[in-house]
Amino acid sequence: MLFRSGQMRVSDAMYDFCEQRRCDFAVTLGDNFYSDGVDSVDDSQFISKFEIPYDPFSFQFFATLGNHDIRAKEEGIAAQIAYTHHSDKWRMFDRYYATQIGDVAIFSIDSNSFGKKDPRQVRWLKEALQESDAKRSEEHTSELQSPCNLVCR
């Protein structure tokens, strides 16, 4: 039996799921590049851990930072944001961001700094929710790595 990397096994499972159901986009919940993030937009992990495993998919992946991603410090975070301009699939518009896909509003939250560590992010989220075109609560989704009861204080 051929060894399949962890990312390839995840991709295989996602492919099977999306073959049975319609998938319009994907979200990541952090730890995009285990175990210490990426160093630059040229880091080979973008290819080996993202582009190759998720090549079969035609939709976009909206990425959120996790604690392993921030281990690469500001350069690694900036690389993940900048990679949006180097990939047809990868989307990370900032450390935290909102985007609209059809009727669904996605709010990507940096749970590494949410709450008391970064009150600006809390204000941003409140404003973004109020300004959202998705008016019903079932059309909103928030993506963050850590449970809110741990980071939202």
Side-chain angles (χ1 to χ4, degrees):
M1 182 163 97
L2 182 65
F3 173 76
R4 305 277 291 164
S5 72
Q7 283 310 127
M8 293 304 289
R9 291 192 311 266
V10 169
S11 174
D12 291 345
M14 285 178 60
Y15 189 84
D16 291 345
F17 180 88
C18 291
E19 281 287 296
Q20 297 172 18
R21 297 165 185 88
R22 191 181 92 192
C23 296
D24 296 321
F25 60 89
V27 296
T28 75
L29 300 178
D31 293 352
N32 304 311
F33 300 99
Y34 196 84
S35 73
D36 293 317
V38 292
D39 296 323
S40 72
V41 294
D42 299 317
D43 193 305
S44 64
Q45 292 183 91
F46 280 115
I47 303 302
S48 65
K49 294 181 180 177
F50 180 72
E51 295 294 344
I52 291 172
Y54 301 107
D55 182 62
F57 300 95
S58 59
F59 50 75
Q60 295 179 326
F61 288 66
F62 295 89
T64 299
L65 291 170
N67 62 310
H68 288 271
D69 301 306
I70 66 166
R71 288 182 181 177
K73 308 291 184 223
E74 291 303 318
E75 296 82 16
I77 294 167
Q80 288 197 48
I81 295 167
Y83 195 70
T84 297
H85 304 292
H86 296 259
S87 173
D88 293 333
K89 295 178 184 167
W90 180 268
R91 297 292 173 261
M92 181 184 286
F93 303 111
D94 212 329
R95 284 187 79 123
Y96 48 91
Y97 62 90
T99 192
Q100 185 90 19
I101 303 157
D103 292 334
V104 178
I106 295 175
F107 303 89
S108 177
I109 300 166
D110 179 3
S111 61
N112 298 290
S113 63
F114 193 81
K116 290 182 181 178
K117 292 180 185 176
D118 185 0
R120 293 171 301 162
Q121 188 177 178
V122 176
R123 286 192 301 277
W124 163 82
L125 180 59
K126 288 178 182 177
E127 291 171 10
L129 285 165
Q130 289 175 343
E131 295 171 4
S132 171
D133 289 336
K135 299 301 179 193
R136 299 185 321 235
S137 61
E138 64 268 15
E139 295 174 337
H140 292 92
T141 182
S142 298
E143 53 182 90
L144 67 159
Q145 183 187 38
S146 299
C148 201
N149 65 339
L150 297 178
V151 298
C152 296
R153 297 179 186 152

